[in-house]
Amino acid sequence: MEQRRISLCHWGPFEATVRDGRLVETRPLAGSGANADMIGAWPEMLYSDRRIDRPHVRKSFLELGPRAGGAGRGAEEMIPVDWDTALDLVAGELTRVHGSHGPRSVFGGSYGWSSAGRLHHARSQVRRFLAAAGGFTDQIGNYSWGAAQAILPHVLGSFDAVARTATSWQTIAAETDLVVAFGGLNPKNWRVTSGGAGAHHMAEAVAKASARGTRFILLSPMADDIPPGLEAELIRPRPNSDTAIMLALAHEAVVTGRADMDFLARFTTGHERLISYLLGETDGTPKTLDWAARIADVPVAELQRLWQAMETGRVMLTAAWSLQRAEHGEQPFWALVALAAVLGQIGLPGGGFCFGYGSMNAVGADARNGYVPSLPGLPNPHGLAIPVASFAEAMLKPGHRISFGGREVTFPDIRMVYWAGGNPFHHAQDLGMVDAAWRRPETIVVHEPWWTPTAARADIVLPATTPLERNDLGGSSRDASVFAMPKLVEPLAEARNDFDIFCALADRLGVRPAFDEGLDESGWLRRLWRQTEARGAEEGISVPGFDPFWQAGVWQVPLPAMPEVLLEEFRADPDAQPLATPSGRIELWSERIHGFGQPDCPPHAAWIAPQEWLGNAEPDELHLITNQPAKQLHSQLWQARQDAGPAPVRLNPADARARGIAEGALVRVHNHRGACRAVAKLDPTLRTGVVVMATGAWYAPDPESGIERNGNPNVLTSDRRSSKLGQACAALSALVRVEPLGATTGIA
Ligand SMILES: Nc1nc2c(c(=O)[nH]1)N[C@H]1C(S)=C(S)[C@@H](COP(=O)(O)OP(=O)(O)OC[C@H]3O[C@@H](n4cnc5c(=O)[nH]c(N)nc54)[C@H](O)[C@@H]3O)O[C@H]1N2
Ligand SMILES: Nc1nc2c(c(=O)[nH]1)N[C@H]1C(S)=C(S)[C@@H](COP(=O)(O)OP(=O)(O)OC[C@H]3O[C@@H](n4cnc5c(=O)[nH]c(N)nc54)[C@H](O)[C@@H]3O)O[C@H]1N2
Ligand SMILES: [Mo]
């Protein structure tokens, strides 16, 4: 018997063909623009020999429990056990650790993208469960735009400009003369959206603007940040130097009399102090184009041309999220706002600034917010939350205090780790350090559908279903559709839904009513849909009932009446619609940040050189960019590509020649933190001195040499954070060396 159904994943909507109970094909939903390779990988993913078929316990943990110690994690045999044994063990450990060390000793922040459905969203489920079970240590912030999340509330009153709102592409296509994109507009990033990418229209939107005559100038070390077919000019600055360029452009506006002083006076505060810094009155260094050209190591004529292009017309400035995933990552975002303020077009259609047009699908798409429901959380009264990227440091240094957002956070004494829906051995920096930290806790529990490096390093592994094996609903707030995600096939072997696993544990702990509120899967789906209905009632939008929605498989949320323009209301009436900053205005100088007194995050946007970048590199060192993988979602989908060998490292042919490296050669990429294998891919469009390795390879250190075999670049990145304000992931500030993989290492 053959059946066709529509469903959704983070990389798009698809049509699935199921024959005699087996998934045989997945294809992008017609008209969705989703990537066929990524969508088509589902059957291989579902039936991969990396699926976890039943609960497993690490051998010595099964024998000795927490007395086993963590040294054998990842190396010892994993023993299959039945569900009751596994669940009793987990419930017993939670009770023991809570009882002896308190709720904060259970670390359950469990960062990770999980899968697209909103009910069975593993990370939301685990946090809800641990809160119901008495509390836990959570994580604050995210890896995507953690530094922005820290700085923007001080500048704009909230981080809405990175999390939710961007001027619509429609408006850009109609109004904008020039788009200046720091970090480019990389089309590979438009393949995914958190929650599920409904429609993929970004390339079309860019093409439409270009066809109307919008000019594009992109700043990025690599040419693939330009969408195919777009005639864009490219400036290739050194990585991490964008802040200097932005400040120099603002300086140029000031000294040529083009700064919009009326805008600065009405809509901002502190511009006098920023200008004084730009002019060099505070530090003796005027932030001229020459100054920036030296820092960014680009011909000054390129910056002059950029400035000339910006002098007239409607200008949209944008920065990719990648810019802030760096040391002092707060600065390029603050500097971009400052530059836009100096130009005076913030809040005008097609002008000002926005973040992330090149970072994720549907940024700048027309969509109404709030129609995709989410699993409600529960209060975590005895808990604590630590900055997301600090978890490994926290495991290594219980009791240590760090500054974060102007206050202090004390690391808890983490005894137990609970992870569901994330792959820290993919996402965290300095994996050698993470590996060491991971040996410290007494007990580690992981739920996973696949034997990821994280699952392989747990004490107790519980096999989770994939979204194709359960009923759910999903969508992204940046898209205009909500999808039903019906169960397509029966769960593999003994795999269970995360929700059902937590129900069984909640029973054992006596907290089931608090956790499931008496609802099963179907009850929860209906309850989530009531959130959507309530949102519709607020806005006078008619929402179908759950049953008709489920039957139709998708609901198109009506488009907003007017396309979005970021900060339009503020510009229209700053007194009636003040920002939530202390001054109610855009803060170009922040008294509050001044009060924090942290030299690594001064009270105005400033150029501060990172500790690791081309400005202080040894002659043979290269700047490593770790960007998002083109045909994966992070480490997801890697299991469908594992036979391809180590991941590529891209080098400019001149850098390759200098090292005796040919196209396709196996190389060793290394620094003092670690080393990995990779396959050399020569790219003449890449800036010299820069190498690029996408994230996403599964961590596999060779037990003898320690070299990571699959090309996971996070063995090379540093755990140093953006600043004491943000404590955010700063993966994009790292130097490496590359050499042919020869006799020195002994691995082929
Ligand atoms: N060097 C460097 N590192 C980076 C970045 C970078 O730019 N450079 N980017 C960072 C960013 S922005 C991000 S968002 C992170 C992403 O890091 P992660 O979110 O950790 O990466 P994923 O591979 O998406 O991990 C999700 C995991 O959930 C599992 N999963 C899927 N569905 C289910 C389910 O239903 N139940 C359970 N229990 N598990 C499920 C998947 O198999 C997968 O292992 O990486 C960060 N790391
Ligand atoms: N296909 C695919 N798309 C994805 C994801 C995925 O895993 N796969 N992940 C999604 C997620 S979770 C996130 S957070 C977003 C991330 O979105 P981004 O952070 O914007 O994406 P990246 O690919 O890391 O970086 C984009 C480009 O920035 C450029 N760049 C890097 N450093 C610098 C710099 O210092 N200066 C300048 N000017 N340019 C620089 C690089 O050339 C790189 O190609 O992507 C999302 N999109
Ligand atoms: Mo992200």
Side-chain angles (χ1 to χ4, degrees), residues 70-413:
R73 289 189 181 120
E76 274 173 45
E77 197 186 338
M78 299 298 284
I79 312 287
V81 297
D82 60 46
W83 269 106
D84 279 337
T85 306
L87 292 168
D88 288 346
L89 255 181
V90 175
E93 280 303 282
L94 276 170
T95 307
R96 180 186 68 82
V97 174
H98 265 206
S100 323
H101 307 285
R104 291 176 176 196
S105 290
V106 178
F107 176 73
S110 190
Y111 181 82
W113 265 48
S114 314
S115 46
R118 296 295 92 180
L119 167 59
H120 294 290
H121 185 252
R123 187 186 187 213
S124 307
Q125 288 284 351
V126 65
R127 292 156 96 205
R128 209 184 132 81
F129 165 71
L130 290 174
F136 66 106
T137 291
D138 201 354
Q139 285 163 292
I140 314 184
N142 61 42
Y143 279 80
S144 310
W145 31 259
Q149 184 167 359
I151 192 74
L152 293 181
H154 296 287
V155 179
L156 299 169
S158 79
F159 54 86
D160 187 77
V162 67
R164 247 154 75 113
T165 313
T167 296
S168 151
W169 271 108
Q170 252 196 76
T171 317
I172 294 177
E175 306 278 350
T176 307
D177 298 304
L178 171 69
V179 172
V180 180
F182 291 87
L185 297 168
N186 198 315
K188 72 167 167 51
N189 285 355
W190 296 335
R191 292 178 178 157
V192 309
T193 297
S194 176
H200 296 75
H201 297 316
M202 309 300 287
E204 240 168 74
V206 171
K208 197 170 150 201
S210 171
R212 214 237 343 134
T214 307
R215 180 178 171 191
F216 287 81
I217 303 180
L218 272 40
L219 294 95
S220 164
M222 59 196 282
D224 24 344
D225 287 331
I226 306 175
L230 177 70
E231 289 212 13
E233 296 147 70
L234 183 66
I235 299 175
R236 272 179 285 216
R238 273 178 178 158
N240 296 179
S241 68
D242 304 81
T243 304
I245 297 176
M246 294 167 187
L247 293 171
L249 293 166
H251 173 271
E252 205 57 21
V254 169
V255 297
T256 57
R258 300 273 178 175
D260 187 335
M261 298 310 291
D262 291 339
F263 181 90
L264 291 174
R266 267 197 86 197
F267 297 100
T268 75
T269 178
H271 63 273
E272 302 87 351
R273 299 219 214 189
L274 177 72
I275 288 175
S276 166
Y277 166 75
L278 294 176
L279 296 174
E281 291 166 2
T282 50
D283 62 357
T285 305
K287 311 300 175 298
T288 61
L289 293 178
D290 271 316
W291 167 82
R294 276 196 303 278
I295 290 172
D297 190 27
V298 293
V300 69
E302 291 188 4
L303 298 188
Q304 281 158 349
R305 271 200 301 279
L306 173 60
W307 166 245
Q308 280 157 13
M310 288 168 57
E311 260 184 308
T312 52
R314 190 58 55 87
V315 183
M316 174 55 81
L317 305 170
T318 175
W321 299 342
S322 56
L323 265 66
Q324 54 82 67
R325 216 172 297 117
E327 203 183 345
H328 309 301
E330 294 81 10
Q331 300 309 316
F333 273 39
W334 200 354
L336 194 78
V337 176
L339 173 59
V342 166
L343 295 181
Q345 297 182 7
I346 294 172
L348 293 180
F353 71 90
C354 280
F355 300 114
Y357 286 125
S359 300
M360 181 99 78
N361 184 59
V363 174
D366 297 299
R368 284 175 191 273
N369 272 310
Y371 285 84
V372 179
S374 58
L375 186 72
L378 287 172
N380 183 16
H382 307 291
L384 167 78
I386 61 171
V388 68
S390 72
F391 78 88
E393 188 189 4
M395 286 181 195
L396 288 168
K397 299 184 193 160
H400 179 74
R401 293 157 81 86
I402 59 165
S403 300
F404 173 50
R407 52 195 180 86
E408 298 247 300
V409 175
T410 304
F411 288 142
D413 180 10

Side-chain angles (χ1 to χ4, degrees), residues 673-746:
R673 289 179 288 267
C676 66
R677 301 195 308 171
V679 174
K681 202 170 154 205
L682 307 195
D683 176 358
T685 69
L686 184 64
R687 193 198 144 94
T688 52
V690 172
V691 292
V692 181
M693 288 186 79
T695 61
W698 284 17
Y699 176 67
D702 183 84
E704 267 155 44
S705 67
I707 296 185
E708 199 289 318
R709 301 175 63 94
N710 288 334
N712 183 325
N714 272 329
V715 300
L716 306 162
T717 54
S718 162
D719 183 56
R720 200 184 289 132
R721 311 287 145 59
S722 60
S723 74
K724 290 195 169 66
L725 184 85
Q727 290 289 354
C729 163
L732 273 75
S733 303
L735 294 173
V736 295
R737 292 184 165 87
V738 185
E739 61 185 31
L741 190 61
T744 49
T745 60

Side-chain angles (χ1 to χ4, degrees), residues 611-627:
Q611 291 178 57
E612 243 186 275
W613 73 305
L614 289 174
N616 65 0
E618 297 293 329
D620 62 336
E621 283 181 318
L622 300 158
H623 192 113
L624 172 69
I625 288 182
T626 50
N627 63 352

